Amino acid sequence: MNLKRFFSIYILTFLEISIIPVAFSELYSYVTCGSIIKLLNNNAKVRLHSHEVKYGSGSGQQSVTAIEDADDVNSHWVVKGKAGKLCKRGEPVACGTTIRLEHLKTTKNLHSHHFTSPLSNNQEVSAFGENGEGDTGDHWVITCSSDYWERNGLIRFKHADTDMWMAVSGNTYGRPISGQKEVCAVPYSDSNCYWKAGEGVFIKPTDPPNPALPHVHSEL
């Protein structure tokens, strides 16, 4: 792990054990490029999660799950543009944009492909790549009802390569990740496919209402 990544995690861990007031958060109503966020499934009330545990079947890649614990540092994801396309720090993410989500601690990208998920036999969702670089299986299209990804709005993630929707299946893993929920991709969108931005560090918009504020964070 490089020093930059180490200090990012250190700072986030510090913020998690500190009570941080949400100052002027109403000024920044959108999720922006470069933000580090947790993603909450609106139906199951669990957060998108990963860790250095590989699937025992399917691709054998790093597993992606969902957990109830709001304080786990392994649930942070960095919002990035698609490979080869600049996503300027602080730029609001427009609905319909193709993005990548990089797992902060392991630097692997949220990924999917034509492997079967372990519990529900849907499509597997994994974490893939090295140092934030993978392939087109890391591309997800943000689907929402407004012009931009709103921090308090519901969104869906459509996998660009396979046209499948990221969901929480409702199935629960046993050891070694007991109690964690299966995340998979499904062919049809339903209530299990809706997510929203949770806790995080939100990079200021390119043209913020108050340029004196460097960024705004909610309780991580």
Side-chain angles (χ1 to χ4, degrees), residues 83-95:
K85 184 175 178 62
L86 177 66
C87 186
K88 186 178 178 181
R89 282 175 59 86
E91 180 179 333
V93 178
C95 297

Side-chain angles (χ1 to χ4, degrees), residues 13-153:
T13 303
F14 171 76
L15 290 174
E16 283 193 332
I17 62 176
S18 305
I19 302 301
I20 305 298
V22 183
F24 306 113
S25 61
E26 70 277 5
L27 298 179
Y28 301 148
S29 57
Y30 302 119
V31 174
T32 54
C33 295
S35 294
I36 302 170
I37 64 174
K38 293 179 180 179
L39 288 163
L40 179 69
N41 184 272
N42 191 61
N43 190 42
K45 306 305 180 188
V46 288
R47 288 162 176 79
L48 189 69
H49 182 84
S50 193
H51 38 227
E52 294 179 354
V53 177
K54 295 182 178 181
Y55 285 122
S57 61
S59 68
Q61 292 176 5
Q62 182 171 301
S63 57
V64 170
T65 62
I67 64 172
E68 293 181 355
D69 186 359
D71 299 324
D72 197 311
V73 72
N74 280 314
S75 299
H76 287 120
W77 300 85
V78 183
V79 180
K80 309 189 300 183
K82 66 183 292 186
K85 184 175 178 62
L86 177 66
C87 186
K88 186 178 178 181
R89 282 175 59 86
E91 180 179 333
V93 178
C95 297
T97 299
T98 299
I99 67 163
R100 292 174 295 166
L101 291 169
E102 180 184 333
H103 188 241
L104 180 68
K105 190 168 184 180
T106 63
T107 71
K108 295 183 183 296
N109 294 325
L110 185 70
H111 184 87
S112 193
H113 40 212
H114 292 295
F115 283 92
T116 302
S117 63
L119 302 182
S120 63
N121 294 318
N122 286 300
Q123 183 169 291
E124 182 187 276
V125 173
S126 64
F128 173 76
E130 296 293 336
N131 297 317
E133 297 301 327
D135 60 25
T136 59
D138 305 338
H139 291 161
W140 298 85
V141 180
I142 296 294
T143 303
C144 39
S145 58
S146 55
D147 292 332
Y148 293 95
W149 179 357
E150 296 179 352
R151 288 179 55 187
N152 295 322

Side-chain angles (χ1 to χ4, degrees), residues 195-212:
W195 302 79
K196 65 186 301 184
E199 306 84 359
V201 175
F202 295 85
I203 304 300
K204 70 176 183 180
T206 306
D207 297 308
N210 184 352

Side-chain angles (χ1 to χ4, degrees), residues 136-211:
T136 59
D138 305 338
H139 291 161
W140 298 85
V141 180
I142 296 294
T143 303
C144 39
S145 58
S146 55
D147 292 332
Y148 293 95
W149 179 357
E150 296 179 352
R151 288 179 55 187
N152 295 322
L154 295 179
I155 62 164
R156 292 173 293 166
F157 295 93
K158 188 174 187 180
H159 190 242
D161 278 359
T162 63
D163 290 330
M164 303 282 269
W165 302 89
M166 186 170 70
V168 173
S169 72
N171 293 288
T172 304
Y173 287 102
R175 297 178 63 184
I177 49 176
S178 299
Q180 298 187 22
K181 303 294 184 182
E182 181 189 52
V183 173
C184 59
V186 297
Y188 301 104
S189 175
D190 61 16
S191 61
N192 296 313
C193 299
Y194 284 87
W195 302 79
K196 65 186 301 184
E199 306 84 359
V201 175
F202 295 85
I203 304 300
K204 70 176 183 180
T206 306
D207 297 308
N210 184 352

